[in-house]
Amino acid sequence: MKIYRPAMSDRRSVKGLLNGTMRLGEKAKAQKDDITLLLINSADVVLFMMRVAKETFSRDFEFKEFFRQCFQIGYKTLPLITVTGAIIGLVLTIQTRPVLADFGAESLLPGMVAVSIIREMGPVITALICAGKVGSGMGAELGSMKVTEQIEAMEVSATHPIRFLVVPRVLAATLMIPILVLYADALGILGSWAGVNIKGSVSFVLFFYQAFSVVDFLDFIPALIKTFFFGAVIGFVGCYKGYNAGRGTESVGVAANSAVVVASLLVIITDMIAVQITDML
Amino acid sequence: MYRGFEETRGKESAESVVVIENLKKSFGNEVVLSNVSLKLFQGENLVVLGKSGSGKSVLIKCIVRLLAFDEGKINVLGYNIGELNNTDLGELRKKVGFLFQSGALYDSMTVRQNLEFPLLRIRKELNRKEVDDKILEALENVGLADALEKMPSQLSGGMRKRISLARTIVVDPSIMLYDEPTTGLDPVTSQEISVLINEVQKKYKTSSIIITHDIECARKTATRIVMLQDGAIYKEGSLTDFEKSDDALIKAFFMQSGT
């Protein structure tokens, strides 16, 4: 078997390694070698991660683009999160109330809903919604930039596209998704209070006192920490899929679609790992 | 061992600003460029002609290392492209303008922001007024000073190409690389772009490589022509050499304009 020898220009730097793996990938595709292709794709992801990590700590951080992305991800997702958060709390309350009523434990309802929302429902549902909206948006935006040569135009303008396009998006998603989760949690609890008041009358103060008397610090912190990972995963997957989109216009749709699918799957897997770690504490 | 930016500068290419030697590039098993060697001399417009898929765009993308090449050597302004690290490559790219086939304007930015983007990053020493003046000057040179606040979506194909050209010249490049500058444009707009290419060359004293399959564009802009066929150089010479050639392929190419 002929051993792959990188070209002169490929023997240094992360970009060189990336070019080398791309060429190996092309050969693997041509030979339909699935295992090699899987390994190449994994190496490609790791190299992309390394490039993002390297550019994150570069001197010329794109603050303006970072704040623009924070606005895009945070503010523009707010209406969706508002509706979803409130409905989660409302539905959870309406569904759970009859069961608790059967056991005469209706007074536990606010606490139970608050724990459910803070620990699991708020973070996971918000992250899945963001995977759909933010992840697909990033995949489509960067994918269309790739197809229309805008990323290459950036490169020849002596601007590092990873530094300008990927790093601000990944960091903005990492920062904004936890904030959106906190907002969704608050609205979920408000929705729950509204749900309780559909068939009864409980004061706002009493409801919140009952809800937060059950919520522990250990319910709150691990749930918040995992949302940073959710954000990073969504941002990274969206950018990776878009940045590595193919050449045709069809690739834009493929990039957006696979960004949602992979990001959603990784959010669930990350959640499972986070729950296991929290359980061990 | 890696040689520094200055150390990679050769002395043999005093007149020629781009020297390509035995360039090879393939994608998987498909060979796109094989043993391509050519030179771009100071101040000339070198037109690279060829059918679609003959490797023309790959050639100029290799010149600025947007694509890594497999074998051979590319020397740009005396610097060996294959030996440069990313920082030095970035420095070299500041001296090379690249007009993309699609225009490649940033969709989310206005025309002003499109021009500001490379200018603020490449010419960091400029103050706000100088930046504004340079943007206006570049837009006036392409005849679109009134498009400053427009979005790319509000521009026609020809206007997008002009703005893209303005974005390229705003940073005063030494070398211009044009990838199919007239593709997809009507004959009148194509002619205007060809005239602009000549004006840019005269005003900014650039040396240019123009990739095209538009014979009219080649006629108006070429100092010298290189024809690519199946990834290799088929013929090299002046416009007259090509027009007088008896070669069937060249004749077929030049017949398209009815001459």
Side-chain angles (χ1 to χ4, degrees):
Chain A
M1 187 187 161
K2 195 182 170 189
I3 297 169
Y4 173 75
R5 190 169 176 273
M8 272 303 288
S9 52
D10 291 350
R11 289 180 204 164
R12 268 187 310 276
S13 79
V14 174
K15 184 172 183 177
L17 276 169
L18 200 60
N19 287 327
T21 53
M22 276 167 69
R23 273 195 219 142
L24 265 177
E26 285 161 12
K27 286 187 180 177
K29 270 180 200 162
Q31 291 162 9
K32 294 188 171 63
D33 185 347
D34 290 343
I35 296 169
T36 313
L37 201 58
L38 178 71
L39 291 173
I40 296 301
N41 286 340
S42 308
D44 195 39
V45 172
V46 172
L47 285 170
F48 191 77
M49 245 182 226
M50 284 165 62
R51 289 170 72 183
V52 175
K54 186 184 161 207
E55 291 304 325
T56 303
F57 299 104
S58 71
R59 278 176 299 171
D60 303 321
F61 185 76
E62 300 281 352
F63 283 101
K64 199 175 164 188
E65 183 63 12
F66 170 70
F67 290 122
R68 198 176 78 86
Q69 289 304 324
C70 284
F71 177 78
Q72 291 282 341
I73 295 168
Y75 182 72
K76 293 205 169 173
T77 319
L78 224 48
L80 198 60
I81 299 298
T82 306
V83 174
T84 317
I87 288 175
I88 292 169
L90 188 73
V91 168
L92 201 60
T93 305
I94 293 169
Q95 296 273 31
T96 317
R97 191 175 188 157
V99 181
L100 290 177
D102 285 349
F103 293 98
E106 264 185 292
S107 62
L108 294 177
L109 185 66
M112 198 218 76
V113 171
V115 169
S116 305
I117 287 174
I118 289 170
R119 287 183 74 146
E120 204 56 37
M121 301 290 277
V124 173
I125 290 182
T126 306
L128 290 176
I129 285 170
C130 289
K133 188 179 185 300
V134 177
S136 67
M138 286 178 185
E141 188 183 8
L142 297 195
S144 67
M145 286 184 81
K146 179 81 179 281
V147 170
T148 54
E149 298 176 309
Q150 290 175 51
I151 291 180
E152 288 184 335
M154 223 167 252
E155 256 185 275
V156 292
S157 301
T159 302
H160 206 304
I162 298 235
R163 189 182 303 160
F164 185 80
L165 296 171
V166 179
V167 171
R169 280 170 174 76
V170 174
L171 289 184
T174 309
L175 182 74
M176 294 316 289
I177 286 174
I179 294 172
L180 288 171
V181 167
L182 290 177
Y183 178 72
D185 288 351
L187 277 164
I189 293 167
L190 267 175
S192 175
W193 175 67
V196 165
N197 278 287
I198 290 173
K199 284 185 181 175
S201 177
V202 178
S203 78
F204 188 73
V205 176
L206 179 64
F207 180 86
F208 271 75
Y209 176 76
Q210 285 189 331
F212 284 95
S213 62
V214 180
V215 175
D216 197 332
F217 203 59
L218 274 174
D219 292 318
F220 187 72
I221 296 299
L224 186 66
I225 291 171
K226 72 181 175 187
T227 59
F228 285 96
F229 288 95
F230 291 167
V233 161
I234 292 164
F236 181 81
V237 171
C239 290
Y240 176 80
K241 290 290 177 186
Y243 196 87
N244 292 291
R247 288 281 163 194
T249 45
E250 189 194 0
S251 314
V252 179
V254 172
N257 184 268
S258 56
V260 178
V261 173
V262 176
S264 303
L265 188 67
L266 287 178
V267 162
I268 301 291
I269 293 171
T270 309
D271 186 50
M272 186 191 73
I273 295 167
V275 167
Q276 291 296 319
I277 292 170
T278 313
D279 200 40
M280 284 190 283
L281 294 174
Chain B
M1 193 182 142
Y2 170 67
R3 288 181 290 143
F5 192 44
E6 288 302 326
E7 285 173 66
T8 59
R9 186 167 194 151
K11 289 189 175 115
E12 73 284 2
S13 50
E15 277 193 309
S16 43
V17 286
V18 176
V19 181
I20 299 172
E21 290 171 11
N22 304 319
L23 187 71
K24 284 186 185 172
K25 171 70 186 168
S26 51
F27 294 102
N29 296 326
E30 190 191 343
V31 178
V32 181
L33 294 173
S34 57
N35 277 321
V36 172
S37 298
L38 60 86
K39 285 184 179 179
L40 171 70
F41 296 102
Q42 178 69 47
E44 77 166 342
N45 279 348
L46 174 66
V47 168
V48 180
L49 276 179
K51 290 195 291 187
S52 298
S54 58
K56 307 184 297 292
S57 297
V58 172
L59 176 70
I60 54 166
K61 284 186 177 176
C62 285
I63 292 173
V64 282
R65 218 166 84 188
L66 278 175
L67 288 172
F69 46 94
D70 301 332
E71 285 176 37
K73 193 177 167 188
I74 300 179
N75 212 289
V76 180
L77 294 169
Y79 299 104
N80 188 343
I81 286 286
E83 295 288 314
L84 292 177
N85 66 13
N86 283 344
T87 313
D88 294 339
L89 181 66
E91 288 302 311
L92 183 65
R93 280 174 174 168
K94 291 175 183 175
K95 298 171 186 168
V96 183
F98 198 119
L99 182 74
F100 287 87
Q101 191 174 345
S102 61
L105 292 177
Y106 307 127
D107 291 332
S108 58
M109 300 182 193
T110 62
V111 167
R112 177 200 289 275
Q113 289 165 337
N114 261 282
L115 270 71
E116 257 179 12
F117 188 85
L119 194 57
L120 292 175
R121 284 163 176 79
I122 293 174
R123 303 286 302 275
K124 289 179 182 172
E125 76 281 4
L126 298 180
N127 62 33
R128 186 68 245 176
K129 190 183 177 304
E130 287 168 330
V131 167
D132 288 343
D133 289 347
K134 281 207 74 78
I135 289 171
L136 205 60
E137 185 196 335
L139 286 175
E140 277 168 0
N141 284 334
V142 297
L144 283 172
D146 54 342
L148 201 60
E149 300 304 332
K150 285 188 175 168
M151 295 300 286
S153 57
Q154 295 173 286
L155 305 172
S156 68
M159 288 165 88
R160 288 171 77 96
K161 279 269 165 74
R162 281 160 174 261
I163 298 293
S164 187
L165 183 57
R167 186 180 65 182
T168 312
I169 58 175
V170 79
V171 291
D172 302 325
S174 308
I175 297 172
M176 285 290 298
L177 304 174
Y178 297 91
D179 188 6
E180 308 273 11
T182 57
T183 297
L185 302 177
D186 62 86
V188 177
T189 314
S190 295
Q191 192 174 334
E192 286 170 3
I193 296 287
S194 302
V195 170
L196 264 178
I197 291 171
N198 286 333
E199 282 175 4
V200 165
Q201 196 236 347
K202 276 180 198 149
K203 183 158 188 182
Y204 292 86
K205 308 267 185 286
T206 56
S207 315
S208 313
I209 295 181
I210 302 152
I211 301 292
T212 189
H213 51 232
D214 177 0
I215 293 300
E216 282 311 309
C217 174
R219 280 207 172 97
K220 287 192 173 61
T221 57
T223 314
R224 197 157 54 90
I225 299 177
V226 165
M227 188 167 187
L228 278 184
Q229 173 72 3
D230 296 330
I233 290 185
Y234 189 74
K235 185 177 167 64
E236 189 175 347
S238 66
L239 178 65
T240 321
D241 294 338
F242 273 79
E243 284 180 331
K244 286 181 179 169
S245 173
D246 290 330
D247 186 278
L249 180 70
I250 295 170
K251 269 189 165 178
F253 233 92
F254 277 76
M255 282 290 280
Q256 65 174 274
S257 62
T259 53

